[in-house]
Every structure is written in C-alpha cells, then in structure tokens.
Short mmCIF file of all heavy atoms in Angstrom, two decimals:
data_model
loop_
_atom_site.label_atom_id
_atom_site.label_comp_id
_atom_site.label_asym_id
_atom_site.label_seq_id
_atom_site.Cartn_x
_atom_site.Cartn_y
_atom_site.Cartn_z
N MET A 1 86.96 104.96 28.79
CA MET A 1 87.78 105.14 29.99
C MET A 1 89.26 105.02 29.62
O MET A 1 89.67 104.16 28.85
CB MET A 1 87.39 104.08 31.03
CG MET A 1 88.12 104.23 32.34
SD MET A 1 87.56 103.02 33.55
CE MET A 1 86.83 104.09 34.72
N ARG A 2 90.08 105.90 30.19
CA ARG A 2 91.53 105.87 29.86
C ARG A 2 92.21 104.71 30.58
O ARG A 2 91.83 104.35 31.70
CB ARG A 2 92.17 107.18 30.29
CG ARG A 2 91.67 108.34 29.47
CD ARG A 2 92.45 109.55 29.76
NE ARG A 2 93.80 109.39 29.21
CZ ARG A 2 94.64 110.42 29.10
NH1 ARG A 2 94.30 111.60 29.53
NH2 ARG A 2 95.84 110.24 28.60
N GLU A 3 93.23 104.20 29.94
CA GLU A 3 93.97 103.10 30.51
C GLU A 3 95.00 103.63 31.51
O GLU A 3 95.61 104.66 31.32
CB GLU A 3 94.70 102.42 29.36
CG GLU A 3 95.07 100.97 29.62
CD GLU A 3 95.63 100.34 28.35
OE1 GLU A 3 94.89 100.23 27.36
OE2 GLU A 3 96.80 99.95 28.41
N CYS A 4 95.19 102.91 32.62
CA CYS A 4 96.19 103.29 33.63
C CYS A 4 97.59 103.11 33.06
O CYS A 4 97.89 102.07 32.43
CB CYS A 4 96.03 102.43 34.86
SG CYS A 4 97.23 102.89 36.15
N LYS A 5 98.44 104.09 33.24
CA LYS A 5 99.82 104.02 32.75
C LYS A 5 100.81 103.63 33.87
O LYS A 5 101.87 104.21 33.98
CB LYS A 5 100.20 105.38 32.16
CG LYS A 5 99.35 105.77 30.97
CD LYS A 5 99.81 107.08 30.37
CE LYS A 5 99.05 107.41 29.10
NZ LYS A 5 99.45 108.70 28.55
N GLN A 6 100.44 102.66 34.64
CA GLN A 6 101.24 102.28 35.82
C GLN A 6 102.69 101.98 35.46
O GLN A 6 103.60 102.44 36.14
CB GLN A 6 100.61 101.11 36.57
CG GLN A 6 101.40 100.81 37.86
CD GLN A 6 100.77 99.67 38.66
OE1 GLN A 6 99.96 98.92 38.15
NE2 GLN A 6 101.14 99.59 39.91
N ASP A 7 102.91 101.21 34.41
CA ASP A 7 104.28 100.84 34.05
C ASP A 7 105.10 102.08 33.67
O ASP A 7 106.25 102.24 34.09
CB ASP A 7 104.31 99.84 32.92
CG ASP A 7 103.81 98.46 33.37
OD1 ASP A 7 103.74 98.23 34.58
OD2 ASP A 7 103.45 97.64 32.50
N GLU A 8 104.48 102.95 32.91
CA GLU A 8 105.12 104.18 32.50
C GLU A 8 105.43 105.06 33.73
O GLU A 8 106.48 105.65 33.85
CB GLU A 8 104.17 104.93 31.53
CG GLU A 8 104.83 105.74 30.48
CD GLU A 8 103.82 106.31 29.52
OE1 GLU A 8 103.10 105.51 28.85
OE2 GLU A 8 103.69 107.53 29.47
N ASN A 9 104.42 105.14 34.61
CA ASN A 9 104.60 105.97 35.82
C ASN A 9 105.68 105.38 36.71
O ASN A 9 106.49 106.12 37.30
CB ASN A 9 103.27 106.00 36.62
CG ASN A 9 102.19 106.73 35.85
OD1 ASN A 9 102.45 107.49 34.95
ND2 ASN A 9 100.95 106.49 36.24
N LEU A 10 105.73 104.07 36.83
CA LEU A 10 106.74 103.40 37.65
C LEU A 10 108.17 103.78 37.20
O LEU A 10 109.06 103.97 38.04
CB LEU A 10 106.56 101.90 37.63
CG LEU A 10 105.71 101.26 38.67
CD1 LEU A 10 105.56 99.79 38.42
CD2 LEU A 10 106.25 101.51 40.08
N ALA A 11 108.34 103.86 35.92
CA ALA A 11 109.66 104.18 35.37
C ALA A 11 110.10 105.58 35.78
O ALA A 11 111.31 105.86 35.83
CB ALA A 11 109.62 104.04 33.87
N LYS A 12 109.11 106.45 36.10
CA LYS A 12 109.47 107.83 36.45
C LYS A 12 109.36 108.09 37.95
O LYS A 12 109.70 109.17 38.43
CB LYS A 12 108.52 108.79 35.74
CG LYS A 12 108.62 108.72 34.23
CD LYS A 12 107.56 109.66 33.63
CE LYS A 12 107.42 109.45 32.14
NZ LYS A 12 106.19 110.04 31.60
N CYS A 13 108.84 107.13 38.70
CA CYS A 13 108.60 107.32 40.15
C CYS A 13 109.89 107.48 40.91
O CYS A 13 110.80 106.65 40.80
CB CYS A 13 107.81 106.13 40.71
SG CYS A 13 107.42 106.30 42.47
N THR A 14 110.02 108.58 41.69
CA THR A 14 111.25 108.81 42.44
C THR A 14 111.10 108.47 43.93
O THR A 14 112.01 108.74 44.72
CB THR A 14 111.63 110.31 42.33
OG1 THR A 14 110.55 111.14 42.78
CG2 THR A 14 111.97 110.68 40.87
N CYS A 15 110.00 107.87 44.31
CA CYS A 15 109.79 107.52 45.70
C CYS A 15 110.65 106.35 46.13
O CYS A 15 110.72 105.32 45.40
CB CYS A 15 108.29 107.15 45.89
SG CYS A 15 107.94 106.67 47.60
N THR A 16 111.35 106.47 47.26
CA THR A 16 112.23 105.41 47.72
C THR A 16 111.61 104.53 48.81
O THR A 16 112.29 103.65 49.34
CB THR A 16 113.55 106.02 48.25
OG1 THR A 16 113.25 106.89 49.37
CG2 THR A 16 114.29 106.79 47.17
N TYR A 17 110.35 104.79 49.15
CA TYR A 17 109.72 104.02 50.21
C TYR A 17 109.32 102.64 49.67
O TYR A 17 108.50 102.51 48.77
CB TYR A 17 108.50 104.76 50.77
CG TYR A 17 107.92 104.08 51.99
CD1 TYR A 17 108.51 104.20 53.22
CD2 TYR A 17 106.77 103.29 51.86
CE1 TYR A 17 107.97 103.56 54.32
CE2 TYR A 17 106.26 102.63 52.96
CZ TYR A 17 106.85 102.77 54.17
OH TYR A 17 106.30 102.12 55.29
N GLU A 18 109.92 101.61 50.26
CA GLU A 18 109.61 100.24 49.84
C GLU A 18 109.10 99.45 51.04
O GLU A 18 109.69 99.55 52.10
CB GLU A 18 110.88 99.57 49.29
CG GLU A 18 111.48 100.21 48.08
CD GLU A 18 110.71 99.99 46.78
OE1 GLU A 18 109.73 99.23 46.80
OE2 GLU A 18 111.10 100.61 45.79
N PRO A 19 108.15 98.59 50.84
CA PRO A 19 107.34 98.45 49.67
C PRO A 19 106.12 99.38 49.77
O PRO A 19 105.66 99.65 50.87
CB PRO A 19 106.88 96.99 49.76
CG PRO A 19 106.74 96.74 51.23
CD PRO A 19 107.78 97.64 51.90
N CYS A 20 105.61 99.82 48.65
CA CYS A 20 104.36 100.59 48.64
C CYS A 20 103.54 100.12 47.49
O CYS A 20 104.00 100.11 46.34
CB CYS A 20 104.66 102.08 48.52
SG CYS A 20 103.10 103.04 48.42
N SER A 21 102.31 99.70 47.80
CA SER A 21 101.41 99.14 46.77
C SER A 21 100.88 100.22 45.83
O SER A 21 100.28 99.89 44.84
CB SER A 21 100.24 98.43 47.43
OG SER A 21 99.52 99.36 48.27
N ARG A 22 101.11 101.49 46.16
CA ARG A 22 100.60 102.58 45.33
C ARG A 22 101.57 103.07 44.28
O ARG A 22 101.27 103.95 43.49
CB ARG A 22 100.19 103.76 46.20
CG ARG A 22 99.10 103.41 47.20
CD ARG A 22 98.84 104.55 48.17
NE ARG A 22 98.11 104.03 49.31
CZ ARG A 22 98.69 103.52 50.37
NH1 ARG A 22 99.99 103.49 50.49
NH2 ARG A 22 97.94 103.07 51.37
N LYS A 23 102.76 102.50 44.27
CA LYS A 23 103.78 102.96 43.31
C LYS A 23 103.26 102.81 41.85
O LYS A 23 102.81 101.73 41.48
CB LYS A 23 105.08 102.20 43.46
CG LYS A 23 105.85 102.70 44.66
CD LYS A 23 107.30 102.44 44.50
CE LYS A 23 108.01 103.20 45.61
NZ LYS A 23 109.38 102.93 45.62
N GLY A 24 103.36 103.88 41.13
CA GLY A 24 102.92 103.89 39.74
C GLY A 24 101.41 104.16 39.59
O GLY A 24 100.92 104.37 38.52
N LEU A 25 100.72 104.12 40.71
CA LEU A 25 99.27 104.42 40.72
C LEU A 25 99.14 105.82 41.31
O LEU A 25 98.75 106.01 42.45
CB LEU A 25 98.52 103.37 41.54
CG LEU A 25 98.64 101.97 41.04
CD1 LEU A 25 97.98 100.98 42.02
CD2 LEU A 25 97.99 101.78 39.66
N CYS A 26 99.48 106.79 40.48
CA CYS A 26 99.61 108.17 40.99
C CYS A 26 98.34 108.73 41.60
O CYS A 26 98.34 109.46 42.57
CB CYS A 26 100.07 109.08 39.86
SG CYS A 26 101.65 108.55 39.14
N CYS A 27 97.17 108.36 41.06
CA CYS A 27 95.90 108.83 41.63
C CYS A 27 95.75 108.30 43.05
O CYS A 27 95.32 109.07 43.96
CB CYS A 27 94.72 108.43 40.75
SG CYS A 27 94.68 106.72 40.26
N GLU A 28 96.07 107.06 43.29
CA GLU A 28 95.98 106.49 44.64
C GLU A 28 96.99 107.12 45.57
O GLU A 28 96.74 107.37 46.75
CB GLU A 28 96.15 104.97 44.61
CG GLU A 28 94.99 104.26 43.98
CD GLU A 28 95.08 102.73 44.11
OE1 GLU A 28 95.87 102.23 44.95
OE2 GLU A 28 94.33 102.05 43.38
N CYS A 29 98.20 107.36 45.04
CA CYS A 29 99.28 107.98 45.81
C CYS A 29 98.84 109.37 46.30
O CYS A 29 98.97 109.69 47.48
CB CYS A 29 100.50 108.05 44.94
SG CYS A 29 101.91 108.92 45.61
N ILE A 30 98.30 110.16 45.41
CA ILE A 30 97.84 111.52 45.76
C ILE A 30 96.74 111.45 46.78
O ILE A 30 96.77 112.18 47.78
CB ILE A 30 97.41 112.29 44.50
CG1 ILE A 30 98.61 112.62 43.62
CG2 ILE A 30 96.63 113.57 44.87
CD1 ILE A 30 98.24 113.09 42.22
N MET A 31 95.76 110.62 46.57
CA MET A 31 94.60 110.52 47.50
C MET A 31 95.06 110.05 48.87
O MET A 31 94.60 110.58 49.91
CB MET A 31 93.54 109.59 46.97
CG MET A 31 92.73 110.20 45.87
SD MET A 31 91.28 109.24 45.37
CE MET A 31 92.04 107.89 44.48
N TYR A 32 96.00 109.12 48.92
CA TYR A 32 96.51 108.64 50.22
C TYR A 32 97.19 109.75 50.98
O TYR A 32 96.90 109.99 52.15
CB TYR A 32 97.49 107.45 49.97
CG TYR A 32 98.18 107.02 51.22
CD1 TYR A 32 97.53 106.17 52.12
CD2 TYR A 32 99.47 107.42 51.53
CE1 TYR A 32 98.15 105.75 53.27
CE2 TYR A 32 100.08 107.02 52.70
CZ TYR A 32 99.43 106.20 53.57
OH TYR A 32 100.04 105.81 54.74
N HIS A 33 98.10 110.45 50.36
CA HIS A 33 98.82 111.49 51.10
C HIS A 33 97.95 112.68 51.37
O HIS A 33 98.10 113.33 52.43
CB HIS A 33 100.10 111.88 50.31
CG HIS A 33 101.17 110.82 50.42
ND1 HIS A 33 101.81 110.58 51.62
CD2 HIS A 33 101.63 109.94 49.54
CE1 HIS A 33 102.67 109.59 51.44
NE2 HIS A 33 102.57 109.17 50.19
N GLN A 34 97.02 112.99 50.51
CA GLN A 34 96.07 114.10 50.77
C GLN A 34 95.30 113.85 52.06
O GLN A 34 95.06 114.78 52.84
CB GLN A 34 95.12 114.26 49.59
CG GLN A 34 94.15 115.41 49.74
CD GLN A 34 93.08 115.44 48.66
OE1 GLN A 34 92.65 114.38 48.19
NE2 GLN A 34 92.69 116.62 48.26
N LYS A 35 94.91 112.61 52.28
CA LYS A 35 94.18 112.23 53.50
C LYS A 35 94.93 112.59 54.75
O LYS A 35 94.34 112.89 55.77
CB LYS A 35 93.88 110.73 53.43
CG LYS A 35 92.95 110.19 54.45
CD LYS A 35 92.52 108.78 54.15
CE LYS A 35 93.65 107.77 54.22
NZ LYS A 35 93.25 106.39 53.94
N TYR A 36 96.25 112.59 54.68
CA TYR A 36 97.08 112.87 55.84
C TYR A 36 97.71 114.29 55.79
O TYR A 36 98.63 114.59 56.53
CB TYR A 36 98.18 111.82 55.99
CG TYR A 36 97.59 110.45 56.30
CD1 TYR A 36 97.50 109.51 55.28
CD2 TYR A 36 97.10 110.15 57.55
CE1 TYR A 36 96.95 108.27 55.53
CE2 TYR A 36 96.52 108.91 57.82
CZ TYR A 36 96.43 107.98 56.79
OH TYR A 36 95.88 106.75 57.03
N GLY A 37 97.20 115.12 54.93
CA GLY A 37 97.74 116.49 54.78
C GLY A 37 99.14 116.48 54.23
O GLY A 37 99.97 117.33 54.59
N GLU A 38 99.38 115.54 53.32
CA GLU A 38 100.72 115.38 52.75
C GLU A 38 100.67 115.50 51.21
O GLU A 38 99.61 115.59 50.64
CB GLU A 38 101.30 114.02 53.15
CG GLU A 38 101.44 113.86 54.63
CD GLU A 38 101.88 112.43 55.02
OE1 GLU A 38 101.77 111.51 54.19
OE2 GLU A 38 102.31 112.26 56.16
N LEU A 39 101.85 115.41 50.63
CA LEU A 39 102.00 115.44 49.17
C LEU A 39 102.78 114.17 48.74
O LEU A 39 103.56 113.63 49.56
CB LEU A 39 102.74 116.69 48.75
CG LEU A 39 101.98 118.00 49.01
CD1 LEU A 39 102.88 119.18 48.92
CD2 LEU A 39 100.79 118.13 48.05
N PRO A 40 102.69 113.78 47.50
CA PRO A 40 103.45 112.62 47.02
C PRO A 40 104.96 112.85 47.07
O PRO A 40 105.43 113.99 46.93
CB PRO A 40 103.01 112.49 45.53
CG PRO A 40 101.76 113.24 45.43
CD PRO A 40 101.81 114.34 46.44
N GLY A 41 105.70 111.79 47.28
CA GLY A 41 107.17 111.89 47.42
C GLY A 41 107.85 112.52 46.22
O GLY A 41 108.88 113.17 46.37
N CYS A 42 107.27 112.36 45.02
CA CYS A 42 107.92 112.89 43.82
C CYS A 42 107.97 114.39 43.78
O CYS A 42 108.67 114.95 42.95
CB CYS A 42 107.25 112.34 42.56
SG CYS A 42 105.47 112.71 42.50
N LEU A 43 107.24 115.06 44.65
CA LEU A 43 107.25 116.51 44.66
C LEU A 43 108.39 117.08 45.54
O LEU A 43 108.57 118.28 45.64
CB LEU A 43 105.91 117.07 45.17
CG LEU A 43 104.72 116.77 44.25
CD1 LEU A 43 103.48 117.45 44.76
CD2 LEU A 43 105.00 117.19 42.82
N PHE A 44 109.16 116.21 46.18
CA PHE A 44 110.23 116.62 47.03
C PHE A 44 111.62 116.32 46.40
O PHE A 44 111.75 115.31 45.69
CB PHE A 44 110.14 115.92 48.40
CG PHE A 44 108.90 116.26 49.16
CD1 PHE A 44 107.71 115.56 48.98
CD2 PHE A 44 108.93 117.27 50.12
CE1 PHE A 44 106.57 115.88 49.69
CE2 PHE A 44 107.77 117.62 50.82
CZ PHE A 44 106.58 116.92 50.60
N PRO A 45 112.59 117.12 46.70
CA PRO A 45 113.94 116.82 46.18
C PRO A 45 114.45 115.55 46.89
O PRO A 45 113.99 115.22 48.01
CB PRO A 45 114.78 118.05 46.59
CG PRO A 45 114.03 118.71 47.69
CD PRO A 45 112.58 118.39 47.47
N PRO A 46 115.36 114.81 46.28
CA PRO A 46 115.80 113.52 46.81
C PRO A 46 116.20 113.53 48.27
O PRO A 46 115.87 112.59 49.01
CB PRO A 46 117.01 113.16 45.93
CG PRO A 46 116.81 113.92 44.67
CD PRO A 46 116.07 115.20 45.03
N GLU A 47 116.96 114.57 48.74
CA GLU A 47 117.37 114.58 50.13
C GLU A 47 116.23 114.72 51.12
O GLU A 47 116.33 114.30 52.28
CB GLU A 47 118.45 115.68 50.36
CG GLU A 47 117.94 117.09 50.20
CD GLU A 47 117.92 117.61 48.74
OE1 GLU A 47 118.07 116.77 47.83
OE2 GLU A 47 117.79 118.83 48.56
N VAL A 48 115.12 115.30 50.68
CA VAL A 48 113.95 115.40 51.54
C VAL A 48 113.07 114.18 51.36
O VAL A 48 112.51 113.63 52.32
CB VAL A 48 113.16 116.70 51.26
CG1 VAL A 48 111.91 116.77 52.17
CG2 VAL A 48 114.05 117.91 51.46
N GLU A 49 112.94 113.74 50.12
CA GLU A 49 112.10 112.57 49.86
C GLU A 49 112.52 111.39 50.71
O GLU A 49 111.68 110.71 51.27
CB GLU A 49 112.23 112.21 48.35
CG GLU A 49 111.27 111.11 47.88
CD GLU A 49 111.67 109.73 48.34
OE1 GLU A 49 112.86 109.41 48.35
OE2 GLU A 49 110.75 108.95 48.72
N ARG A 50 113.83 111.21 50.84
CA ARG A 50 114.30 110.03 51.57
C ARG A 50 114.12 110.10 53.09
O ARG A 50 114.31 109.13 53.80
CB ARG A 50 115.75 109.67 51.22
CG ARG A 50 116.80 110.64 51.72
CD ARG A 50 118.21 110.13 51.39
NE ARG A 50 118.55 110.32 50.00
CZ ARG A 50 119.32 111.32 49.56
NH1 ARG A 50 119.87 112.16 50.40
NH2 ARG A 50 119.55 111.45 48.29
N THR A 51 113.63 111.25 53.58
CA THR A 51 113.29 111.38 55.02
C THR A 51 111.87 110.89 55.25
O THR A 51 111.47 110.73 56.41
CB THR A 51 113.42 112.85 55.48
OG1 THR A 51 112.36 113.63 54.91
CG2 THR A 51 114.77 113.46 55.19
N TYR A 52 111.11 110.73 54.19
CA TYR A 52 109.71 110.35 54.23
C TYR A 52 108.81 111.38 54.92
O TYR A 52 107.66 111.05 55.27
CB TYR A 52 109.51 108.96 54.88
CG TYR A 52 110.33 107.86 54.20
CD1 TYR A 52 111.02 106.92 54.96
CD2 TYR A 52 110.43 107.81 52.84
CE1 TYR A 52 111.79 105.95 54.35
CE2 TYR A 52 111.19 106.85 52.21
CZ TYR A 52 111.88 105.93 52.96
OH TYR A 52 112.62 104.95 52.35
N ASP A 53 109.34 112.58 55.13
CA ASP A 53 108.51 113.68 55.62
C ASP A 53 107.80 114.27 54.40
O ASP A 53 108.42 115.00 53.60
CB ASP A 53 109.32 114.74 56.34
CG ASP A 53 108.47 115.88 56.86
OD1 ASP A 53 107.24 115.91 56.57
OD2 ASP A 53 109.03 116.76 57.54
N ARG A 54 106.53 113.93 54.22
CA ARG A 54 105.81 114.35 53.03
C ARG A 54 104.78 115.44 53.39
O ARG A 54 103.84 115.67 52.67
CB ARG A 54 105.11 113.17 52.40
CG ARG A 54 105.99 111.91 52.22
CD ARG A 54 105.91 111.39 50.82
NE ARG A 54 106.57 110.13 50.60
CZ ARG A 54 107.86 109.99 50.42
NH1 ARG A 54 108.63 111.02 50.61
NH2 ARG A 54 108.36 108.79 50.17
N SER A 55 105.01 116.10 54.53
CA SER A 55 104.04 117.13 54.97
C SER A 55 104.05 118.37 54.09
O SER A 55 105.08 118.70 53.44
CB SER A 55 104.38 117.54 56.42
OG SER A 55 105.62 118.18 56.49
N ILE A 56 102.90 119.00 54.06
CA ILE A 56 102.77 120.26 53.27
C ILE A 56 103.71 121.29 53.91
O ILE A 56 104.33 122.09 53.17
CB ILE A 56 101.32 120.71 53.21
CG1 ILE A 56 100.52 119.73 52.36
CG2 ILE A 56 101.22 122.14 52.68
CD1 ILE A 56 99.02 119.96 52.36
N ALA A 57 103.85 121.29 55.21
CA ALA A 57 104.72 122.26 55.89
C ALA A 57 106.15 122.11 55.42
O ALA A 57 106.84 123.11 55.18
CB ALA A 57 104.63 122.04 57.44
N ARG A 58 106.60 120.88 55.27
CA ARG A 58 107.97 120.64 54.77
C ARG A 58 108.11 121.12 53.32
O ARG A 58 109.13 121.71 52.93
CB ARG A 58 108.29 119.17 54.90
CG ARG A 58 109.79 118.83 54.58
CD ARG A 58 110.71 119.38 55.64
NE ARG A 58 112.09 119.18 55.35
CZ ARG A 58 112.81 118.10 55.71
NH1 ARG A 58 112.25 117.14 56.41
NH2 ARG A 58 114.08 118.01 55.37
N PHE A 59 107.10 120.86 52.54
CA PHE A 59 107.11 121.29 51.14
C PHE A 59 107.22 122.81 51.07
O PHE A 59 108.05 123.36 50.33
CB PHE A 59 105.82 120.83 50.42
CG PHE A 59 105.73 121.21 48.99
CD1 PHE A 59 106.34 120.45 48.02
CD2 PHE A 59 105.04 122.36 48.60
CE1 PHE A 59 106.27 120.82 46.65
CE2 PHE A 59 104.98 122.73 47.27
CZ PHE A 59 105.60 121.96 46.29
N VAL A 60 106.42 123.50 51.88
CA VAL A 60 106.47 124.98 51.89
C VAL A 60 107.83 125.45 52.34
O VAL A 60 108.40 126.39 51.80
CB VAL A 60 105.31 125.52 52.78
CG1 VAL A 60 105.48 127.05 52.98
CG2 VAL A 60 103.97 125.22 52.12
N SER A 61 108.39 124.79 53.38
CA SER A 61 109.67 125.23 53.95
C SER A 61 110.81 125.15 52.91
O SER A 61 111.73 125.95 52.97
CB SER A 61 110.04 124.43 55.19
OG SER A 61 110.54 123.15 54.85
N ILE A 62 110.73 124.24 52.00
CA ILE A 62 111.82 124.12 50.99
C ILE A 62 111.56 125.01 49.77
O ILE A 62 112.41 125.08 48.90
CB ILE A 62 112.08 122.67 50.58
CG1 ILE A 62 110.85 122.04 49.93
CG2 ILE A 62 112.57 121.85 51.74
CD1 ILE A 62 111.06 120.63 49.40
N HIS A 63 110.40 125.62 49.72
CA HIS A 63 110.10 126.47 48.57
C HIS A 63 109.91 127.94 49.00
O HIS A 63 109.36 128.72 48.25
CB HIS A 63 108.85 126.01 47.86
CG HIS A 63 109.06 124.70 47.12
ND1 HIS A 63 109.76 124.63 45.95
CD2 HIS A 63 108.74 123.43 47.43
CE1 HIS A 63 109.81 123.38 45.54
NE2 HIS A 63 109.21 122.64 46.45
N LYS A 64 110.44 128.29 50.17
CA LYS A 64 110.34 129.69 50.63
C LYS A 64 111.28 130.58 49.86
O LYS A 64 112.37 130.15 49.51
CB LYS A 64 110.68 129.76 52.12
CG LYS A 64 109.49 129.47 52.98
CD LYS A 64 109.86 129.72 54.44
CE LYS A 64 108.69 129.41 55.32
NZ LYS A 64 109.07 129.39 56.74
S1 SF4 B 1 104.77 108.79 47.73
FE1 SF4 B 1 103.72 107.57 49.29
S2 SF4 B 1 101.96 106.59 48.31
FE2 SF4 B 1 103.33 107.41 46.70
S3 SF4 B 1 104.57 105.67 46.09
FE3 SF4 B 1 105.69 106.77 47.68
S4 SF4 B 1 105.13 105.88 49.67
FE4 SF4 B 1 103.68 105.21 48.08
#
C-alpha cells in the first residue's frame, strides 16, 4: 500500500478555507466535493478559490 503524502500535499495546497480537516488529504478532498457536485479548491484560480464557490458550473464558466 502506498504511503499518504499529506505533508508534501499540504505544502502545495492552495485552498484558503480554514479550518478544513481534509487539507493535504487530496483523495478525501476530491470525494467530499464530488458528493456536492463540486471540485477541489486547487483547480480554481486564486480570485475564484477565495469565494469558496467550488461548483462545476463556476469551473466551466472560467474555462469558456
Ligand atoms: S478544497 Fe474543500 S475539502 Fe479541499 S482542503 Fe479546501 S475546503 Fe477542504
């Protein structure tokens, strides 16, 4: 089984939502947002990420 790289992931995490227990646990982060039809914060540019709108619609709107 592969080892979790939480510390390494945390160093690269661009999410500004505090506190979040899923930070650095990318698999949990993806599963959590997928459940709500969303994407992880790191897939959004900083000005959108900080709005906490992680919807797929918002993601599509910025990539048109
Ligand atoms: S994107 Fe969502 S689940 Fe992932 S670290 Fe940020 S607030 Fe937590």
Side-chain angles (χ1 to χ4, degrees):
M1 184 177 245
R2 294 189 70 168
E3 204 173 296
C4 180
K5 297 182 175 178
Q6 184 177 18
D7 290 343
E8 211 174 298
N9 295 340
L10 267 176
K12 298 176 190 164
C13 181
T14 58
C15 179
T16 60
Y17 187 78
E18 299 285 355
C20 177
S21 60
R22 299 174 196 88
K23 282 205 170 175
L25 300 172
C26 303
C27 49
E28 290 188 15
C29 175
I30 290 168
M31 284 190 287
Y32 173 80
H33 286 291
Q34 181 187 35
K35 189 168 65 180
Y36 295 102
E38 299 174 344
L39 294 165
C42 57
L43 295 185
F44 296 86
E47 66 275 14
V48 179
E49 187 286 321
R50 70 174 77 100
T51 70
Y52 304 138
D53 180 354
R54 312 230 188 281
S55 65
I56 291 172
R58 187 69 184 271
F59 180 83
V60 170
S61 78
I62 60 176
H63 290 285
K64 275 186 181 170

